[in-house]
Amino acid sequence: MATHRTTQTRTSITHLRRRFQRLSFILPALIFVVVMMAFPVAYNGWLSFHEWTGSARRAPEYVGTDNYTELFTQSDRFFPAVKRTFLFTGVVVTAELVFGIGIALLLRDAFPGHTVVKTLILLPMVATPVAISMAWLLMLEPTIGVFNKILRDIGLTPQPWLGSQSQALWVLMAVDIWQWTPMMAMITLAGLLSLPEDPYEAALVDGASSLQSFFHITLPLLVPTLLTAVLLRSIEALKTFDIIYTMTRGGPGFSTETLNTLAYVRAFEYFRLGQAAALLVVFFAIVLGVSVIFIQMRRSVSMRQAL
Amino acid sequence: MTDLSQATTPRPHRPLSRQAVMSKRRAQMRRITAETVRAALLLVIIVIFLFPVIWMALAAFQTQIDIISPGWGFTPTLRNFDRVFSEYNFLRYMGNSFLVAAVSTALSLLLGLPGAYAIARFHYDWLGVVLLAARIVPGITFLVPWYILFSRAGLNGTYVALILSHMIVSMPFIVWVMVPFFEGLPIEVEESARIDGATMLGTFVRIALPLSVPAIMTATIMSFIFSWNNFMFSLVLSGDDTRTLPVAIFNFITYASIDWGGLMAAAVLITLPVLVITVFMQRYVVSGLTAGAIKG
């Protein structure tokens, strides 16, 4: 009886020790997540109900939901920024998806120089965004930029590009499309290469044209991969900051201001930390909402395909 | 005459009818056209993707006068690079960028690798979900609280603040890359090591990690590039002495008249290390960028 009890204690001690050992693998990461991520998010929520300029002498002042009411009813920059954020995301992700699929199809079969091409198209997305923005700024410069130089040389009217309220956002979209189309292409290409061969052989036997087999075999099989790529890109596109802030700072006027740059300006140029926090809560909710929609779509598609 | 043509073209095994020869030739023509169209399209695509980078590099070797002048020609000069180092203190910022990228990557690996292993092997799925959520939360949501807390702690403008903030990008990314890889490793090897008396830590360090070198390479390279390229966190949290390259180059354009040559030389210097890494580690960069999109 006694021996039985000791073995039992011993096993429960080994069990505990094993549990502790396992926990010790995730503990450092967990502490980091709690201190650096969970706490800031919670603090941000708390701050959104306060008014504060970040001054050490004046403590945050509780203002209830004022920051949110201000955002939704009084701010004339919030809804335009929401609209622009969605417009920007919708346009760039769609364009990147279409161009990305096209490029992936071109790169599908190996040819001499295949690897070189695949390496070269990686450059826009790995190059430092700020450096790239500077290069685009020079190219888009109205008087000395290469685009207007070309337009003048062929006898067309030079454009104001980033200097124009109606053009600036579209120019930024073009830069983003330039930067991130390769990402869509790479993901689509990886998806293409993992597709099974059998449906194509069957289609060949049935005498399907290459266009038919693209729309009836390739595209449907690729949908899960494409949805994931669109999800990843949409999350990033909603948060686009570097190229917008470095090239236009949200201007001219507020014509390129998105939720991310608006929040940045509120927090670090106006030091309205409470208002910025409220804006960030809404921004987070939007990104989360979009992500959930895509994840649900992805799930229902893979379930339908499994059936 | 017939003998000559037979000598130059290989004689078909079975004599083909005239019609069959024609259709074969047409198919061949079609294939050649398709190949030409594809090559032309690829050329256009490469020119579009490389043009800004090439333009940046060209401008880096031009004087301000050449850049501003309406013509196309120029005499190459190295003065811009010289000025970037002597006047704009670039070596210091390069050192800062390198230090922050290296340390934040190393620490992220230290936290992320065991974490990813535990998520894969001991099924801490909830931690995986939490780290996935970190990719969804806009970075600026963390930035406002950090700015306040780091100011309180007197850490604003220090390397500590920069390194910790960059880890928020790289640590979840490392876990994101490593979990599926660890899950794919054959568990039998680890089990037999455990039976032979290896500890959990020993199995992880001596069995799992050496088998994961390719994935660790991907995680390390991408984490370094993300940190090297990071702008927003560094913009808010770096100080005069700790400024990293992207922030330093951004400060160029706040001057009244832009020194375009110097700016482009600086842009080239920032981009060059990343481009070199990409060219030589293409395989790892591709798998890092497409991570998670194919499976999962």
Side-chain angles (χ1 to χ4, degrees), chain B residues 91-111:
Chain B
L91 219 49
R92 156 124 229 177
Y93 304 138
M94 261 184 165
N96 288 341
S97 269
F98 187 81
L99 180 82
V100 172
V103 176
S104 67
T105 301
L107 289 176
S108 298
L109 285 170
L110 203 64
L111 301 187

Side-chain angles (χ1 to χ4, degrees), chain A residues 179-236:
Chain A
Q179 207 183 355
W180 291 110
T181 293
M183 166 104 162
M184 284 291 195
M186 294 302 15
I187 295 178
T188 312
L189 183 62
L192 274 177
L193 296 178
S194 68
L195 292 186
E197 297 262 328
D198 319 1
Y200 291 99
E201 278 158 17
L204 207 63
V205 170
D206 292 348
S209 73
S210 52
L211 211 62
Q212 278 174 324
S213 61
F214 172 73
F215 281 107
H216 294 288
I217 305 171
T218 312
L219 215 51
L221 283 173
L222 269 185
V223 164
T225 305
L226 294 179
L227 271 177
T228 315
V230 168
L231 163 73
L232 293 176
R233 262 314 292 149
S234 302
I235 292 173
E236 294 306 312

